[in-house]
Amino acid sequence: MPFLGGPELAKVYKKAKAEGFALIANNFTEPNVLLGLFAAYQARKSDLLVQVTGGAAKFAGGGNALAGLRALSRYVQTLAKEAKIGVFLNLDHVTPDLVEGFVPPALAEGLCSSVMIDASELPFEENVKATRAVVEMARPYGALVEGELGRIKGVEDEVASDEAFYTDPNDAVEFVDQTGVDLLAVAVGTEHGVSSGRELKLRVDLAQAIDAKLRQAGLERPLVLHGASGLSGDQVRALLRAGVCKVNKDTTYQFLYARTAAEFYLGNRASVVPAPGVAFDPVTFEAPGSQWKPDKKLFDPRVVGRKIQEAVNLVAQQMIDQVGSGGKTLYA
Ligand SMILES: [Zn+2]
């Protein structure tokens, strides 16, 4: 299946909302996580949504976010051609300062299926303005736009109570109406964004209230959950019933990558790291006065890479089960 755009992604979200499942939005920066995801999603016949933050794009481009996005997106698009599932790419957490010079070419070159504009740190009216501008950019290309509403409008930073870090249902209606966003990321007590570091109670009832208000206003939208790494399976399922159709996952893969690499290299330390006092030269591949040589069967990056891919594949399949997207591909 070739890489797919906003109109096809909208169909997946529509089905997800009607049937009560969600897509995990899987962050990646490098090939091993991506290849593990492709393996998992094809095995489970789920459409695959990957996402790239501005920071990830910058990393992949050696400091140039647009170059990095081009490289990552073409990698995804090339793999997608061989896959029997729908494959989508979301630009994740694009902050207002990154829009210019990044989002317009990404849309024009077909590098993404959707864009998430994160102006949730701004006051409500400015968030609306910044989000609306991206909606207008995306429309001609059919790309979807996700906005984020993090706090009740008009609250001053220093005097904000915990209540201020939850999305107000009436604000949600006003925000969707004024911006025209296709998806809405809501703050319902996960450890994320402006609420990061606060111990908030997860409010499934609030997600339900937001969904109900949007429906009443004729503005039903898939809701998006950010900062979902610490939630239990039961909490995630309750949120899906409350209208959440996209669940962001980044931390899980970062941890799997580091843990898998750490276990592998610590377990094979003596074959990769010279003993103290042995001065091994990586250019001549010799250590004066020592017979020690590193083991190529272990230090070839593909060896640990395959283990990372397997770890990601396994856990990604568990998360597919959690959100119920397995067997639901529209694009086999
Ligand atoms: Zn967010």
Side-chain angles (χ1 to χ4, degrees):
M1 187 62 53
F3 177 70
L4 299 171
E8 291 84 8
L9 182 54
K11 282 182 196 156
V12 179
Y13 285 132
K14 195 167 180 212
K15 181 180 164 86
K17 192 105 192 345
E19 298 183 13
F21 69 93
L23 283 184
I24 302 268
N26 305 278
N27 284 82
F28 80 103
T29 316
E30 54 73 67
N32 291 301
V33 170
L34 183 66
L35 291 165
L37 292 169
F38 263 91
Y41 277 75
Q42 290 183 92
R44 302 308 299 273
K45 298 186 167 45
S46 168
D47 290 321
L48 169 61
L49 174 64
V50 296
Q51 58 183 11
V52 174
T53 60
K58 230 175 182 173
F59 171 82
N64 181 331
L66 183 59
L69 178 65
R70 284 184 180 128
L72 293 177
S73 178
R74 278 169 200 158
Y75 198 160
V76 170
Q77 297 191 29
T78 305
L79 294 177
K81 267 186 208 141
E82 311 300 325
K84 290 192 167 56
I85 50 174
V87 178
F88 304 92
L89 191 151
N90 177 50
L91 287 192
D92 181 31
H93 280 102
V94 176
T95 45
D97 58 302
L98 195 62
V99 170
E100 202 191 326
F102 186 59
V103 174
L107 291 164
E109 296 174 30
L111 304 179
C112 61
S113 322
S114 57
V115 180
M116 190 268 159
I117 167 73
D118 182 5
S120 64
E121 298 270 343
L122 299 178
F124 185 86
E125 286 75 17
E126 289 175 44
N127 185 352
V128 166
K129 210 172 145 211
T131 305
R132 175 83 226 162
V134 174
V135 170
E136 280 162 12
M137 278 173 210
R139 280 291 170 265
Y141 303 99
L144 306 182
V145 175
E146 172 186 340
E148 178 164 355
L149 199 49
R151 65 173 97 190
I152 294 174
K153 61 186 175 187
V155 177
E156 298 296 332
D157 262 350
E158 300 78 37
V159 294
S161 68
D162 279 357
E163 197 54 35
F165 291 86
Y166 292 97
T167 301
D168 178 79
N170 293 314
D171 284 359
V173 171
E174 209 178 312
F175 185 77
V176 170
D177 186 42
Q178 290 182 22
T179 59
V181 285
D182 304 286
L183 297 107
L184 179 66
V186 291
V188 292
T190 62
E191 172 80 12
H192 177 75
V194 290
S195 55
S196 180
R198 288 178 173 254
E199 289 214 6
L200 298 179
K201 192 176 160 289
L202 184 70
R203 296 266 315 272
V204 176
D205 64 301
L206 185 59
Q208 285 166 341
I210 293 166
D211 185 48
K213 282 265 180 191
L214 286 169
R215 281 170 194 261
Q216 279 165 21
L219 295 168
E220 184 181 2
R221 292 292 188 279
L223 301 182
V224 182
L225 195 62
H226 294 179
S229 287
L231 301 181
S232 72
D234 284 345
Q235 286 175 319
V236 170
R237 283 183 284 275
L239 286 160
L240 300 193
R241 288 194 293 276
V244 168
C245 297
K246 175 175 177 276
V247 178
N248 286 9
K249 288 281 183 181
D250 189 0
T251 308
T252 301
Y253 303 123
Q254 294 177 340
F255 166 72
L256 284 172
Y257 186 107
R259 179 186 170 162
T260 306
E263 281 181 346
F264 179 75
Y265 287 126
L266 290 173
N268 294 291
R269 188 186 168 99
S271 304
V272 181
V273 181
V278 175
F280 184 77
D281 182 339
V283 179
T284 60
F285 240 64
E286 279 173 353
S290 166
Q291 293 302 100
W292 186 82
K293 288 258 188 277
D295 186 347
K296 193 169 168 57
K297 288 199 290 294
L298 296 170
F299 70 69
D300 181 332
R302 288 171 294 187
V303 179
V304 75
R306 279 187 203 101
K307 291 182 187 300
I308 292 165
Q309 292 173 33
E310 282 163 22
V312 168
N313 181 346
L314 190 74
V315 173
Q317 292 202 37
Q318 290 166 6
M319 297 199 298
I320 288 170
D321 286 341
Q322 210 176 58
V323 300
S325 67
K328 301 281 189 185
T329 177
L330 281 174
Y331 301 102

